[in-house]
Amino acid sequence: MKKVEEDKNMKIAILGLGTVGSGVVELLQINHEKISQSIGETLTVTHAFVNDVTKQRDVDLTGITITDDINTIYESDVDLVVEVMGGIEKTRAIIQRFLANGVHVVTANKDLLALHIDELSQLANQHKVVLAYEASVAGGIPVIRGIQTGLNSNQISQVLGILNGTSNYILTRMTQDGWDYQAALNKAQALGYAEADPTNDVEGFDAGRKIALLSRLAYNRSIQLDHVKHRGISNVEVVDLDYANQAGLVMKLLGKSRHDADKDMVSVNVEPVLLPMTHQLAHVNDAMNSVFVKGNGVGEVMFYGPGAGGLETASAIVSDVMNITSATQQANKIPNQSATIVADQTARSYYVRLAEKPHDSESLAEIVANDQDFVAITTVLTPTELEQLEKTAEVLAAYPIEGKEWS
Ligand code: NAP
Ligand code: HSE
């Protein structure tokens, strides 16, 4: 353990005191001694920036100046800012100002980072401060650091993950308990998992931003967010989850990306995928997240843990703060090349629910149901071959299957 030096005290401002911001204050309080012993200095939250200074908060804010005027914090002597207020343009300007003033920034804001991380990292490097963002992907799981430092000896060719806790919670309740979509979403919101606008969670935008950030690190390529294709879960029907279950499959919203190093092409997308029960990701339930990374040295690595929640996300944020105080500072790495993003052309089997049995059933490997609905698993099809099938029969639902093939 390091000796805690009396005069070494890092002053921190927290922008936002909602689910995550309150979690950060609480974690710093309950682990105060452990943290200061570990880094050899104390961490003190001196300021917090919020919308509504009169709001009652469930956390002890003694000694913290609460303000709705950001100038109070610009004019303070804080060493580091934790940004957990969310938002894009206004927040970007605030972060720019802190970085330019030589203040380290720790953020959980994937919406902002997925668009502006290169620019903000450059600004941080220019002013010799750190922009850290472990909490922006997969909440409490140290997957950013895992890729950045733990797997940096590998050529990474694939990243695959359950990256949105809200969608995973909704799919789990629909699959295991038969809840309808709206009831499950309401509960996910009440538990603090969902974004202010849950459209981002359920339509795959949030997972898209996270898989873009992970792909940027994994392949060292800038990723244009508007090239990331999304399909969300808002149209998923319980009937398909039940039929899939009969076929030994379970649905997960997956962020997927591959890097073909020979052609230097990257595919990145988000879609609901069916997994065989034997697949490790099939057992990642509730708001838990999990990320698979494939490297040419290590093979397959899997990260698993809480993807959302106050204290869980605070775990990653406080760890970033501690690493800034104690680490040998490294410049923020910025890819020197943009990825050429291509559509994923991987051939796979699909779950299909059709209005009627198709005349040509050559591409069907297994029939799951043939009474009210016609439900089948296809042979291994390319996306183009799936489109052909869709032209011969009215497809009511179609989901790719990952990790198992039918012939
Ligand atoms: P939240 O509960 O909605 O809290 C947002 C906080 O920011 C509130 O305290 C709010 O003030 C304050 N705020 C928002 N806009 C502001 C503005 N314009 N000026 C001043 N204060 C403002 O959000 P959250 O769930 O904690 O999420 C915060 C960030 O972490 C987001 O970027 C989110 O994507 C990310 N994140 C969240 C989770 C999670 O599990 N929730 C996990 C990982 C990352 P008032 O309280 O006064 O309204
Ligand atoms: N709304 C996000 C989720 C929070 O459900 O995963 C964590 O980023």
Side-chain angles (χ1 to χ4, degrees):
M1 276 189 195
K2 288 189 184 171
K3 186 168 173 293
V4 183
E5 292 179 37
E6 304 243 317
D7 54 339
K8 281 195 104 183
N9 178 25
M10 175 172 266
K11 296 194 191 80
I12 299 170
I14 301 191
L15 314 185
L17 276 180
T19 305
V20 180
S22 301
V24 171
V25 173
E26 188 182 343
L27 190 64
L28 285 169
Q29 286 165 353
I30 59 181
N31 287 349
H32 173 78
E33 209 163 310
K34 191 260 152 177
I35 291 168
S36 49
Q37 288 294 344
S38 152
I39 58 177
E41 65 180 279
T42 52
L43 303 178
T44 309
V45 179
T46 58
H47 294 77
F49 175 56
V50 293
N51 257 324
D52 179 359
V53 291
T54 65
K55 202 189 262 185
Q56 282 288 79
R57 320 255 170 201
D58 295 337
V59 67
D60 180 3
L61 299 171
T62 311
I64 303 176
T65 303
I66 314 291
T67 179
D68 57 4
D69 179 2
I70 193 68
N71 290 307
T72 307
I73 303 181
Y74 291 147
E75 289 157 12
S76 72
D77 59 351
V78 296
D79 307 293
L80 185 148
V81 160
V82 170
E83 185 278 300
V84 281
M85 58 188 268
I88 301 184
E89 285 313 322
K90 181 179 172 188
T91 313
R92 176 188 181 193
I94 291 174
I95 290 182
Q96 282 172 332
R97 174 125 177 215
F98 281 115
L99 293 173
N101 284 347
V103 175
H104 302 294
V105 174
V106 173
T107 177
N109 191 336
K110 61 266 165 170
D111 301 2
L112 167 66
L113 290 171
L115 290 167
H116 301 301
I117 188 167
D118 287 347
E119 165 216 303
L120 293 173
S121 298
Q122 213 146 14
L123 189 61
N125 289 346
Q126 209 180 318
H127 294 277
K128 300 196 167 27
V129 285
V130 177
L131 172 73
Y133 51 95
E134 182 61 72
S136 65
V137 178
I141 309 176
V143 63
I144 300 235
R145 219 166 287 131
I147 291 178
Q148 250 175 348
T149 56
L151 295 173
N152 52 359
S153 57
N154 286 260
Q155 288 260 25
I156 296 177
S157 56
Q158 193 182 0
V159 183
L160 188 70
I162 295 174
L163 293 167
N164 184 261
T166 303
S167 302
N168 205 37
Y169 180 84
I170 294 171
L171 288 174
T172 305
R173 291 285 77 78
M174 289 172 78
T175 304
Q176 295 185 353
D177 307 320
W179 287 22
D180 70 42
Y181 169 83
Q182 194 55 49
L185 172 58
N186 293 346
K187 184 72 179 177
Q189 286 181 288
L191 290 168
Y193 302 148
E195 298 299 306
D197 178 359
T199 313
N200 287 336
D201 295 296
V202 297
E203 296 303 351
F205 296 109
D206 179 73
R209 289 162 186 163
K210 291 168 177 167
I211 190 71
L213 286 168
L214 289 183
S215 305
R216 172 184 180 275
L217 289 175
Y219 314 135
N220 191 29
R221 295 285 176 275
S222 287
I223 304 288
Q224 293 296 313
L225 193 59
D226 48 6
H227 291 163
V228 178
K229 286 223 164 87
H230 308 91
R231 179 181 171 200
I233 60 159
S234 59
N235 293 325
V236 170
E237 296 177 52
V238 173
V239 64
D240 292 308
L241 300 180
D242 290 345
Y243 281 128
N245 189 261
Q246 284 177 39
L249 299 166
V250 64
M251 182 176 287
K252 297 290 169 194
L253 183 71
L254 288 194
K256 302 185 287 176
S257 85
R258 287 172 198 271
H259 181 218
D260 178 336
D262 295 337
K263 298 182 186 145
D264 198 12
M265 284 180 172
V266 174
S267 67
V268 195
N269 76 320
V270 176
E271 64 183 337
V273 163
L274 290 167
L275 301 170
M277 302 295 184
T278 48
H279 197 290
Q280 292 95 320
L281 288 178
H283 304 284
V284 177
N285 290 318
D286 301 309
M288 299 307 265
N289 281 193
S290 187
V291 184
F292 257 126
V293 182
K294 198 169 179 181
N296 63 349
V298 72
E300 280 182 355
V301 172
M302 184 171 166
F303 298 83
Y304 170 84
L311 271 182
E312 295 86 340
T313 308
S315 159
I317 290 175
V318 174
S319 159
D320 270 348
V321 174
M322 291 169 70
N323 286 328
I324 288 173
T325 62
S326 60
T328 317
Q329 304 290 323
Q330 282 185 4
N332 299 286
K333 198 168 165 193
I334 303 160
N336 56 11
Q337 231 178 308
S338 289
T340 307
I341 309 251
V342 293
D344 182 7
Q345 288 299 328
T346 312
R348 42 171 64 98
S349 291
Y350 289 83
Y351 161 101
V352 287
R353 179 160 57 93
L354 308 173
E356 60 201 17
K357 187 173 182 198
H359 297 302
D360 175 11
S361 50
E362 216 170 86
S363 55
L364 304 182
E366 185 181 318
I367 294 175
V368 179
N370 188 10
D371 36 33
Q372 272 166 311
D373 296 299
F374 183 83
V375 179
I377 308 291
T378 71
T379 56
V380 176
L381 304 179
T382 63
T384 316
E385 286 166 338
L386 177 71
E387 278 170 25
Q388 288 302 326
L389 175 69
E390 287 173 339
K391 283 184 190 147
T392 65
E394 189 191 342
V395 177
L396 302 174
Y399 296 104
I401 298 173
E402 194 78 39
K404 188 169 172 184
E405 294 178 348
W406 277 255
S407 51

